[in-house]
Amino acid sequence: MKRDIYIVLSQTRSVVSRIIRFATGDAYTHVSICFGEDEGVMYSFGRLFPYNPLWGGFVRESVLFGTMKRFRDAKVAAVRIRLEESEYANLREYVCSMYSRRRQYGYNYIGLFAAKFGVVWRWNNHYYCSEFLKELLEQFGIAEKGELSDAARPIEFLNLRRGQLVYCGSLRQFAAMQRS
């Protein structure tokens, strides 16, 4: 039996998102992972507090809570990846385990800035959104090494070999589709 995960790219129109878009020219500035059974709940590295971009870490995001509640009409693209049941279960267990230990993780602000210049700057247990997703997908063999650049940007996830673009539109409508 196959199970679906979604890589959700977004553009919230927050000040930080607009700055990143200006710097990169990319249509999407954030990326999250969503498990088919979680009804629109996504996991990523982002703001811990919806109105404060200076405190970041490992977060759950949804149109019902957190930062994404502020940006329900954010522009999103969803890439579906079909996994075997065991792949899905192992990946979901790993991400949920990380979330249960979320206070051990921080946001890699320096790495995000360095990535603009194609420089990789690692910091133990600290990530920015696309750095986290790249490492996660490679670790579980969902993305091949070299498929995403070393300083991966959210826009690159649209071209995953195992992925299929299945949705473009508002976050609110994507979440509604996940719940139905």
Side-chain angles (χ1 to χ4, degrees):
M1 182 174 155
K2 299 278 189 177
R3 302 288 300 269
D4 295 336
I5 63 167
Y6 298 90
I7 306 302
V8 181
L9 294 82
S10 58
Q11 166 61 281
T12 64
R13 310 279 302 143
S14 70
V15 172
V16 173
S17 183
R18 284 184 272 167
I19 290 169
I20 293 170
R21 184 171 182 175
F22 177 77
T24 64
D26 294 344
Y28 299 100
T29 59
H30 183 64
V31 64
S32 309
I33 186 169
C34 177
F35 295 91
E37 66 191 70
D38 287 347
E39 299 183 352
V41 174
M42 302 170 288
Y43 296 86
S44 190
F45 276 77
R47 296 177 185 204
L48 292 173
F49 307 103
Y51 293 93
N52 185 345
L54 301 178
W55 294 95
F58 193 49
V59 296
R60 285 179 11 158
E61 305 169 316
S62 168
V63 296
L64 302 174
F65 55 82
T67 301
M68 291 302 191
K69 181 177 179 182
R70 284 185 56 208
F71 301 103
R72 287 178 230 173
D73 292 316
K75 174 182 159 187
V76 301
V79 175
R80 180 180 66 204
I81 301 173
R82 292 239 150 118
L83 302 176
E84 296 296 331
E85 180 72 36
S86 60
E87 286 180 296
Y88 179 93
N90 291 338
L91 180 64
R92 188 171 189 283
E93 180 181 334
Y94 182 84
V95 170
C96 290
S97 174
M98 277 185 72
Y99 186 72
S100 72
R101 300 183 328 271
R102 64 191 170 277
R103 286 181 175 56
Q104 295 176 8
Y105 298 98
Y107 197 87
N108 187 1
Y109 295 99
I110 297 169
L112 177 65
F113 179 76
K116 163 61 178 127
F117 303 100
V119 175
V120 175
W121 196 86
R122 300 270 188 238
W123 185 7
N124 192 38
N125 287 339
H126 289 69
Y127 299 91
Y128 54 90
C129 62
S130 54
E131 178 184 33
F132 161 67
L133 258 292
K134 175 190 184 306
E135 187 175 299
L136 183 71
L137 296 181
E138 287 179 354
Q139 179 180 338
F140 281 85
I142 297 166
E144 297 174 17
K145 299 263 190 235
E147 187 173 350
L148 298 162
S149 69
D150 289 340
R153 297 180 357 209
I155 199 77
E156 293 179 46
F157 291 85
L158 286 174
N159 299 315
L160 290 169
R161 289 185 191 116
R162 289 183 64 181
Q164 177 186 12
L165 181 64
V166 294
Y167 178 79
C168 287
S170 78
L171 177 61
R172 181 190 318 252
Q173 290 175 330
F174 175 72
M177 287 174 29
Q178 292 295 299
R179 287 193 297 270
S180 59

